Amino acid sequence: MKRKLSLLFIMLLLCSGILLYSEHNADADELTLYNAEQIYELSHPALFYIRILRSDDTVASAGTGVTITPEGKAVTAYHVIKDAGRIEGTYPDGRVVSPIEVIGFDEVTDAAVLKLPAPGDQPYPALTIRETAVKYGEKVYALGYPIKDTPIITEGIINAPKAEVNGRDRILTSAQIASGMSGGPLLDQQGRLSGIISGSLRTMNNIHLVVDMSDVRKLLSENQQ
């Protein structure tokens, strides 16, 4: 009888171990990491080229924005749309949206929230927002429009997840940033929006500035419309 109970106990332990192993593997399988080609294919539909138009429809400046909800909420860098008259967006598939409304901004953090026109029967492609902070050395990708009709992707790492630059906290990255990419997304290997491109450091070659998503999430929570 004791031998049977011992065998039963061992079998129960083995079954528990198998279940725990299976659950662990299931969790691991959920963490899918993508390469640069896959990141671009997954995320670039949510990217749009921003044009700031004067009253005579000439272009005053340009930059990049990214949609975060199918209903048309988007984010960009504040300096891209600062003092804008009319804002127009063009998606990679040629879809033009206008006018775009600024519903929230923070000049200190350089973040801005936009509201696009109602999508009708064609919802906007949107990115998932990362909830956790980026880490030292983590691989990331930057997307944006240095040239109209030419979105690009660059690859780098997180050089510092938090650095004080001119009185503001910034993410530092080696992913290359060109003029016109401001307001575009910094993505992690899962394709999640992990920051908003803000600019470059003159004092450090090939190190660039990104708005942390904690600042963006705070601004979003204050502008729920």
Side-chain angles (χ1 to χ4, degrees), residues 24-181:
H24 174 75
N25 276 357
D27 290 340
D29 289 342
E30 289 176 6
L31 185 63
T32 303
L33 304 180
Y34 300 105
N35 61 30
E37 181 180 357
Q38 294 166 324
I39 289 288
Y40 180 80
E41 289 301 319
L42 288 169
S43 60
H44 90 276
L47 199 70
F48 59 93
Y49 174 67
I50 290 179
R51 298 201 308 164
I52 307 303
L53 303 172
R54 301 186 183 93
S55 57
D56 61 357
D57 280 348
T58 57
V59 179
S61 62
T64 303
V66 60
T67 323
I68 56 171
T69 70
E71 296 76 28
K73 185 171 284 189
V75 291
T76 189
Y78 171 69
H79 75 266
V80 171
I81 50 84
K82 182 179 180 180
D83 300 325
R86 185 161 66 90
I87 306 172
E88 178 185 274
T90 304
Y91 282 89
D93 62 2
R95 181 181 184 182
V96 178
V97 293
S98 182
I100 296 174
E101 181 185 356
V102 180
I103 59 173
F105 66 86
D106 187 331
E107 188 169 6
V108 173
T109 62
D110 197 31
V113 180
L114 308 176
K115 184 178 181 181
L116 281 57
D121 58 358
Q122 187 183 355
Y124 293 104
L127 294 184
T128 300
I129 294 176
R130 174 169 168 156
E131 298 296 330
T132 57
V134 293
K135 300 176 181 178
Y136 277 101
E138 186 176 347
K139 183 179 287 187
V140 287
Y141 305 90
L143 276 75
Y145 279 94
I147 307 172
K148 183 185 177 184
D149 300 326
T150 310
I152 70 168
I153 181 170
T154 64
E155 179 180 305
I157 63 169
I158 297 296
N159 302 111
K162 186 176 182 180
E164 187 176 322
V165 180
N166 297 326
R168 310 180 226 181
D169 286 337
R170 286 285 181 266
I171 295 170
L172 302 185
T173 182
S174 63
Q176 288 299 300
I177 306 299
S179 178
M181 293 177 71

